[in-house]
Amino acid sequence: MSSKPIADDKDQPASFTWTAASEKQIAAILAKYPAGRQASAVLPLLDLAQRQHDNWIPLAAIDAIAARLDMARIRVLEVATFYTMYNLAPVGKWFLQACTTTPCWLRGSDQMMRCIKDKLGLDNHGRTADGQFSLLEVECLGACVNAPILQVNDDFYEDMDYETTATLIDALKRGEPPVVGSMKGRQTSQSIAGPTSLESLKKSDGVPVWFAGQKAAAAGGDD
């Protein structure tokens, strides 16, 4: 198993009970798998337990999942400790997941990490005393074209550097998370200077005649 931190006994609840809403989702999840293959649902049930329990999974929830899926407790715990998306200890209201693998590093993720350290005093697995922020270094988040990436809870913030990270942290402190995406105003994955192709669909811009004809036919209601 990994060295992922597990909550101390003082933070572990004595029991875990699925809510009615969670039970409805569990029924829908289990219906996707044939009889005897319910262990395949361990990933979505871990995610469901985490969302129900303030973004982390207590050991009592591990037991509840093991019982529901007829799995050994250690098997559920093995999965929960393998994936960084599962938290086994309390995390902050704003859970910062920082990618520091090669593409993000080449684009300056070290400056993003330095800002987090300067403004919040956080190292990997750290949590601020007020419980507002926590930090986890993660592997590739799959958005390398817009690196560096900082995931906050479920959302991606892109094009991070020292200044944009500071702006993001200050906004989160105010409870005003910015619009997700590029922190430099870039649209999707286009050039930082703006679009370089397909700037319009006018025929004069080189749109093929057949495409222009299709658009005209669609506008006129032709089949």
Side-chain angles (χ1 to χ4, degrees):
M1 287 188 292
S2 73
S3 58
K4 179 185 292 188
I6 296 178
D8 295 335
D9 288 345
K10 63 181 178 60
D11 293 320
Q12 296 285 354
S15 61
F16 177 88
T17 302
W18 298 107
T19 64
S22 292
E23 287 285 4
K24 185 175 180 179
Q25 292 186 62
I26 291 171
I29 291 168
L30 293 181
K32 298 177 182 179
Y33 303 100
R37 301 292 184 179
Q38 67 270 18
S40 298
V42 64
L43 291 170
L45 261 63
L46 283 166
D47 180 72
L48 188 60
Q50 179 162 282
R51 293 179 185 279
Q52 178 180 312
H53 191 78
D54 203 21
N55 208 21
W56 72 280
I57 306 169
L59 294 178
I62 298 291
D63 293 337
I65 293 170
R68 181 61 61 91
L69 301 181
D70 193 25
M71 295 175 65
R73 181 181 195 251
I74 189 60
R75 297 305 181 199
V76 180
L77 195 57
E78 283 174 346
V79 175
T81 54
F82 179 80
Y83 292 100
T84 58
M85 64 186 178
Y86 299 126
N87 308 311
L88 298 178
V91 297
K93 174 183 178 181
W94 304 112
F95 181 37
L96 311 180
Q97 298 150 83
C99 180
T100 57
T101 43
T102 304
C104 281
W105 174 75
L106 289 172
R107 293 279 295 158
S109 64
D110 53 333
Q111 295 302 310
M112 175 179 73
M113 297 298 290
R114 183 166 66 87
C115 182
I116 294 172
K117 178 67 172 180
D118 289 348
K119 292 188 70 67
L120 299 174
L122 292 179
D123 294 310
N124 193 26
H125 297 302
R127 184 163 61 119
T128 57
D130 61 6
Q132 290 296 296
F133 292 87
S134 58
L135 173 65
L136 178 67
E137 289 190 50
V138 297
E139 297 300 316
C140 181
L141 290 170
C144 310
V145 70
N146 295 342
I149 302 297
L150 181 61
Q151 183 175 345
V152 180
N153 298 339
D154 287 332
D155 297 320
F156 276 14
Y157 290 94
E158 306 159 357
D159 296 322
M160 305 305 295
D161 55 24
Y162 193 99
E163 290 73 22
T164 55
T165 303
T167 297
L168 175 60
I169 290 173
D170 289 341
L172 295 176
K173 285 182 176 180
R174 297 192 303 269
E176 301 171 355
V179 175
V180 300
S182 173
M183 287 293 290
K184 294 185 177 180
R186 186 154 60 113
Q187 297 298 307
T188 60
S189 298
Q190 70 182 203
S191 166
I192 194 69
T196 58
S197 62
L198 300 178
E199 296 184 55
S200 77
L201 293 178
K202 293 186 299 182
K203 182 178 179 181
S204 61
D205 288 337
V207 176
V209 174
W210 66 266
F211 184 75
Q214 283 187 336
K215 286 182 65 64
D222 292 348
D223 293 328

